[in-house]
Amino acid sequence: MSMSFSAFAFLPLIALIVQGLLALLGLYALFLLIKLLIRLITAVELYIDDKKNRRL
């Protein structure tokens, strides 16, 4: 029995690599979203403080 080269033999490996890259990309997007939300909360708090102090 001889081992023959087949492109279909590497499809599961390529699919696993692509799936891993997409998972890493998703985690990075989640990290950036959390950073953005933290900045947004800070900006809203500063805006509210500015509006409260201006009326006094």
Side-chain angles (χ1 to χ4, degrees), residues 25-42:
L25 186 64
L27 288 174
Y28 184 62
L30 180 64
F31 172 73
L32 290 178
L33 180 65
I34 289 171
K35 282 180 65 172
L36 179 68
L37 289 175
I38 290 171
R39 287 184 183 213
L40 180 67
I41 290 170
T42 305

Side-chain angles (χ1 to χ4, degrees), residues 6-50:
S6 174
F8 295 111
F10 290 108
L11 283 180
L13 180 63
I14 292 171
L16 184 64
I17 291 171
V18 169
Q19 194 173 16
L21 289 174
L22 288 176
L24 287 175
L25 186 64
L27 288 174
Y28 184 62
L30 180 64
F31 172 73
L32 290 178
L33 180 65
I34 289 171
K35 282 180 65 172
L36 179 68
L37 289 175
I38 290 171
R39 287 184 183 213
L40 180 67
I41 290 170
T42 305
V44 168
E45 288 175 350
L46 289 173
Y47 177 76
I48 290 171
D49 287 342
D50 186 43

